[in-house]
């Protein structure tokens, strides 16, 4: 399916645009009295999105139908500064009126293998399943300078093909343990949004958007929604070489 891109002048412009989109998607789902399942990524890039959502869309969004899941988690407790759940809790969840049962976090403090299995079950129980694979309504991804996405790192592309919902992984340089959604689950989402900002990301973006064979080394280049949309939201820094 099609891969499209939108380029924004600044990371803030990108966050403002996407926060509004997301709020509208949630409100449309609420009107239909239908849950909307959104999988969130951590890292630094989406922080600004969560802040804008909390600051500008807290009251205008009907959060009762929004269900948040995690794309990946670092295996640390929620109060650790590295926790993706902890970051999103502080920037967004604590500042909006969302029922606690709508927050489906990966438990980074638990044994990763056991937690990957438990979390797969939680997803299967709550998210629509299409062709035996869960299908999130919206999935938000970032990309590392090395081309990783979620916690699927170069050299561990086997996670793109795994038939499990979640797997464990290890960050190649810090050796931090991770839990991650697998590639097939990500590609089964109805809408996939990559959020990419900053000039440091421009070399990897150039590789992925040119048909360069090197991009095969980048797990993110294999991410494309099978039946839905894949949209790359970039700022001018990240898009410098493809503008
Ligand atoms: C994480 C992620 C990861 C992230 C990229 C980009 O937990 O680190 O979910 O896949 O999206 O590494 O991270 P930055 O936004 O910090 O560059």
């Amino acid at each position: 399916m099609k891969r499209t891109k939108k380029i924004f002048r600044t990371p803030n412009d990108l966050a403002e645009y996407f926060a509004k989109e997301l709020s509208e998607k949630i409100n449309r789902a609420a009107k239909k009295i239908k849950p909307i399942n959104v999988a969130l990524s951590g890292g630094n890039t989406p922080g600004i999105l969560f802040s804008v959502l909390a600051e500008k869309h807290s009251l205008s969004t009907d959060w009762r139908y929004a269900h948040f899941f995690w794309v990946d988690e670092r295996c640390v407790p929620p109060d650790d500064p590295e926790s993706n759940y902890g970051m999103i809790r502080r920037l967004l969840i604590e500042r909006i009126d969302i029922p606690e049962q709508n927050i489906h976090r990966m438990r980074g403090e638990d044994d990763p293998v056991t937690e990957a299995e438990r979390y797969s079950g939680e997803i299967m129980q709550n998210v629509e399943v299409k062709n035996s694979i869960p299908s999130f309504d919206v999935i938000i991804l970032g990309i590392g300078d090395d081309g990783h996405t979620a916690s699927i790192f170069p050299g561990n592309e086997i996670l793109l093909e795994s038939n499990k919902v979640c797997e464990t992984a290890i960050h190649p340089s810090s050796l931090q343990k991770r839990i991650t959604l697998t590639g097939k689950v990500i590609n089964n989402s109805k809408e996939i949004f990559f959020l990419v900002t900053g000039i440091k990301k421009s070399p990897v973006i150039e590789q992925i958007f040119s048909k360069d064979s090197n991009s095969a080394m980048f797990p993110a280049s294999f991410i494309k929604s099978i039946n839905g949309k894949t949209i790359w939201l970039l700022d001018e820094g990240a898009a410098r070489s493809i503008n």
Side-chain angles (χ1 to χ4, degrees), residues 69 75 105-108 110-126 134 162-169 178-182 185:
F69 291 82
C75 293
R105 73 174 179 103
M106 288 175 171
R107 296 177 57 87
D110 288 354
D111 169 67
V113 175
T114 316
E115 174 57 9
E117 256 174 56
R118 185 204 66 80
Y119 197 67
S120 302
E122 182 161 347
I123 291 174
M124 290 303 280
Q125 269 170 18
N126 288 279
S162 167
N163 288 323
K164 292 187 179 172
V165 175
C166 297
E167 290 266 16
T168 59
R178 302 282 183 99
I179 299 170
T180 185
L181 297 183
T182 55
V185 173

Side-chain angles (χ1 to χ4, degrees), residues 40-46 71-74 82 84 141-146 148-153 171 178 195 197 201:
L40 306 170
S41 281
N44 295 318
T45 312
V71 167
D72 66 338
E73 184 56 283
R74 293 97 181 263
E82 281 278 298
N84 285 338
L141 295 172
I143 182 171
D145 312 349
D146 60 354
H148 81 260
T149 192
S151 284
I152 307 180
F153 297 97
H171 188 285
R178 302 282 183 99
L195 269 48
T197 61
K201 302 277 170 77

